[in-house]
Amino acid sequence: MNVKTTICCVLLLLFSTSSAKDVDLRVKGVTSIATTDENFICATLDWWPPNKCDYNDCPWGNAGILNLDLYNDIFLNAVKAFNPLRIRLGGSLEDWLVYQFGKQRECPLFQKKNDGLFGFSKGCLPKKKWDEINHFFNKTGVKLTFGLNALSGKKPSKEDKKNWKGDWDPTNAIDLMEYTISKGYNIDSYELGNELCADGVSARIDSVQYAKDITQLRKTVNLLYQDANTRPKVLGPAGFYGKEWFDSFLQNVGHGVVDGVTHHIYNLGSGNDKDLINKIQDPYYLSQVAQTFKDVSDAVKEFEPSSGPWVGESGGAYNSGGKDVSNTFVNGFWYLDQLGMTSTFNHKVYCRQALVGGNYGLLDTTTFIPNPDYYGALLWHRLMGSKVLSVSHEGSPYLRAYVHCSKTESGIAVLLINMSNSTTFEVSLLNDMNLYPEVVFKNTQREEYHLTPKDGNIQSKVVLLNGTPLVLTQSLHIPEMKPKLVDPSSPVKVKHDSIVFVHSKSFNAPACM
């Protein structure tokens, strides 16, 4: 081998191997910049029947709530591991659903129908199924949000069939609530309608009319639930943000009517987008949605400050998510970045579409075995507290960083997302509580949770925690997730294509005291 060939080989080796960069992460621990609900993590369950299909793919199987196996041990244990998990039960077909209570005797199944809402005929929630659902939720300690049919009593306009007119008829909802109360079932909140606001998706309600309808829901809930301490919250409008519609709604609804202003996010485009995986790894693309979070937060602060903004549904890519993308490790770059981003904009809750179902489920549609994002959600739920701290660095935009007060112990919890496929970051935590920030550490070891894809394949459905695959135990329980203990004076090594949660007990943040 001649000298030129040797030099070329060496240079090729240097450029093909992962580079490393030092990053100073400055945390302002004096005051918090936002707060989330203690149960910020939320997942959805949907009504879709097995023949819900997109792009010649039918990924729902029996994951719709009417067909879901509520006695499956893996499913049960996955929900119980959150202790508690917030669940939103709703979705596109909720405004086409009746409840088998009161005068509603017949209970039809959803059937394909060309001129029906989202291509389906009306369906029904059987009384027996409602009992099964609530027994499951009571057993697992779920905090339930139930989405009510907002089109009840309404009819499409003759001029525009997408535009629905008339007052909301709460009769069937009252029958459901009265039965629910009589059985002692716990409902954390009721939400009115799904994606009927702004331009709507398959149907639309005027902002002033919706304000009137949700005020009726509030009066109904207050009347039926006499005890203010156990009274369910009221949420809405559960759709995509449009400034004119949202501002009008919030100005026309009375103070104290709405406890949470819910909006939906599908910022990655369609599930069959060939560029989907690239969008997920592009920090510039992911940052574009920040303006929506800010706009919703600002609107709530201006018009209804006693409530708070919620992401009521978000699956990243719409129409059931992206096959072999939304249920793999790489999707965590989008999902966990969304959690971090929305928390900085004072959002109280973030509901992931879906807990199970489609290509974007936290659990596998058939086996209920957790997909990688499930473990990211669980670590967030266990580590990241409700107080959000300001954090900054001058490193690469491919390194995302979010910091909260620790949820259960002293110190701070840090989320680091490395979207780079070649660069490792050596991250030093600096306390920016004064003009001369210094590294703060004591003799307490730092806890680190490094998430990486199996075999380095970002489209793997198996995630490693500190190098060990996360798999169910022999008893079908969620595995124990033990941290790696590290000297707090050393930097956090964030490998390329990885996600790291850090718990620094020794970090002195006055806001967390």
Side-chain angles (χ1 to χ4, degrees):
M1 183 181 292
N2 59 39
V3 175
K4 286 186 177 181
T5 304
T6 303
I7 292 174
C8 288
C9 290
V10 171
L11 289 174
L12 182 63
L13 180 63
L14 288 172
F15 282 110
S16 64
T17 55
S18 184
S19 60
K21 290 186 178 180
D22 294 333
V23 175
D24 289 341
L25 192 69
R26 288 179 164 80
V27 180
K28 293 183 179 180
V30 177
T31 59
S32 60
I33 60 170
T35 58
T36 69
D37 189 90
E38 282 294 319
N39 293 289
F40 176 71
I41 296 293
C42 167
T44 68
L45 289 173
D46 214 310
W47 297 102
W48 289 121
N51 55 346
K52 155 65 174 172
C53 306
D54 299 290
Y55 320 120
N56 298 316
D57 180 34
C58 305
W60 280 87
N62 288 321
I65 191 66
L66 294 176
N67 301 298
L68 191 59
D69 181 4
L70 298 173
Y71 301 95
N72 181 280
D73 286 338
I74 298 176
F75 186 53
L76 179 79
N77 293 332
V79 175
K80 287 179 71 173
F82 280 83
N83 190 32
L85 176 62
R86 184 184 292 279
I87 287 181
R88 178 227 185 201
L89 176 51
S92 299
L93 294 180
E94 77 176 60
D95 295 305
W96 222 223
L97 187 75
V98 295
Y99 322 119
Q100 195 183 29
F101 301 99
K103 295 181 179 180
Q104 183 65 43
R105 302 300 182 189
E106 295 183 1
C107 205
L109 297 173
F110 287 116
Q111 302 286 347
K112 282 283 189 179
K113 186 180 181 184
N114 290 335
D115 60 347
L117 198 69
F118 294 97
F120 285 91
S121 64
K122 288 186 178 181
C124 172
L125 170 62
K127 176 181 175 182
K128 181 180 179 182
K129 191 66 181 183
W130 186 234
D131 288 333
E132 292 177 357
I133 291 169
N134 280 280
H135 290 154
F136 175 83
F137 288 158
N138 287 343
K139 189 187 304 183
T140 53
V142 161
K143 298 179 77 69
L144 174 64
T145 293
F146 185 79
L148 294 165
N149 180 346
L151 295 182
S152 178
K154 298 182 183 294
K155 292 183 178 180
S157 167
K158 293 180 180 179
E159 297 78 20
D160 181 1
K161 289 187 177 181
K162 187 178 180 181
N163 217 21
W164 286 64
K165 300 288 188 178
D167 293 337
W168 177 58
D169 181 358
T171 304
N172 196 210
I174 290 172
D175 293 335
L176 172 75
M177 290 183 196
E178 288 180 337
Y179 178 81
T180 300
I181 294 168
S182 72
K183 300 294 286 188
Y185 298 151
N186 296 317
I187 306 293
D188 179 78
S189 45
Y190 287 106
E191 189 175 38
L192 186 61
N194 183 82
E195 297 178 354
L196 302 171
C197 62
D199 293 332
V201 176
S202 189
R204 180 184 184 276
I205 298 177
D206 175 76
S207 58
V208 177
Q209 179 63 56
Y210 184 83
K212 183 180 180 181
D213 293 341
I214 204 167
T215 299
Q216 177 61 56
L217 173 58
R218 165 55 72 191
K219 291 177 180 177
T220 301
V221 170
N222 288 356
L223 180 65
L224 296 179
Y225 291 86
Q226 296 288 318
D227 187 351
N229 295 318
T230 58
R231 182 178 296 152
K233 294 184 281 291
V234 171
L235 311 175
F240 295 102
Y241 175 73
K243 178 175 173 53
E244 183 179 349
W245 195 101
F246 265 68
D247 285 357
S248 173
F249 158 61
L250 291 171
Q251 289 176 64
N252 281 281
V253 74
H255 291 298
V257 170
V258 179
D259 299 297
V261 178
T262 53
H263 68 109
H264 295 181
I265 291 289
Y266 283 89
N267 61 310
L268 296 177
S270 64
N272 69 340
D273 185 348
K274 294 179 180 179
D275 200 37
L276 178 61
I277 193 169
N278 295 322
K279 288 179 177 179
I280 290 172
Q281 299 174 85
D282 183 352
Y284 300 99
Y285 182 88
L286 296 181
S287 293
Q288 292 175 17
V289 74
Q291 187 63 48
T292 299
F293 298 136
K294 183 181 186 301
D295 289 344
V296 175
S297 183
D298 288 346
V300 173
K301 185 177 180 180
E302 180 179 358
F303 300 116
E304 194 60 31
S306 62
S307 66
W310 292 32
V311 172
E313 180 184 316
S314 182
Y318 58 79
N319 286 343
S320 302
K323 189 175 182 180
D324 300 323
V325 176
S326 297
N327 56 358
T328 67
F329 179 86
V330 71
N331 199 62
F333 295 155
W334 163 80
Y335 177 46
L336 291 171
D337 187 55
Q338 284 266 298
L339 297 181
M341 191 185 302
T342 52
S343 67
T344 65
F345 287 107
N346 211 39
H347 280 56
K348 307 308 176 185
V349 172
Y350 190 104
C351 296
R352 164 66 179 265
Q353 173 84 347
L355 176 57
V356 59
N359 293 308
Y360 42 32
L362 294 177
L363 306 175
D364 183 88
T365 300
T366 304
T367 66
F368 297 109
I369 292 174
N371 289 321
D373 279 355
Y374 171 89
Y375 292 107
L378 187 55
L379 281 172
W380 177 291
H381 179 74
R382 291 177 176 178
L383 298 172
M384 308 291 277
S386 59
K387 290 184 179 180
V388 186
L389 303 181
S390 175
V391 60
S392 62
H393 67 80
E394 296 180 357
S396 168
Y398 286 85
L399 175 68
R400 309 287 255 207
Y402 300 98
V403 180
H404 289 217
C405 293
S406 173
K407 189 165 189 175
T408 58
E409 298 182 72
S410 61
I412 60 172
V414 183
L415 168 61
L416 300 168
I417 307 169
N418 186 355
M419 301 177 193
S420 170
N421 60 12
S422 60
T423 303
T424 293
F425 297 102
E426 302 274 356
V427 179
S428 297
L429 303 180
L430 303 184
N431 196 327
D432 202 7
M433 62 184 294
N434 54 53
L435 295 176
Y436 305 99
E438 297 177 353
V439 178
V440 177
F441 58 89
K442 297 177 184 177
N443 293 325
T444 305
Q445 288 185 300
R446 187 175 66 226
E447 298 175 349
E448 296 181 1
Y449 303 79
H450 293 256
L451 300 178
T452 54
K454 184 180 179 183
D455 300 325
N457 176 16
I458 60 172
Q459 288 183 262
S460 173
K461 292 183 69 175
V462 177
V463 59
L464 311 183
L465 173 61
N466 298 326
T468 301
L470 287 170
V471 294
L472 297 175
T473 66
Q474 288 187 341
S475 58
L476 303 181
H477 283 80
I478 299 303
E480 186 177 1
M481 294 191 287
K482 294 182 178 180
K484 175 183 177 183
L485 301 179
V486 181
D487 180 347
S489 64
S490 64
V492 181
K493 187 175 183 179
V494 188
K495 295 181 179 179
H496 63 88
D497 289 330
S498 75
I499 297 164
V500 183
F501 284 91
V502 179
H503 178 206
S504 179
K505 298 179 183 179
S506 62
F507 197 97
N508 179 24
C512 303
M513 300 300 185

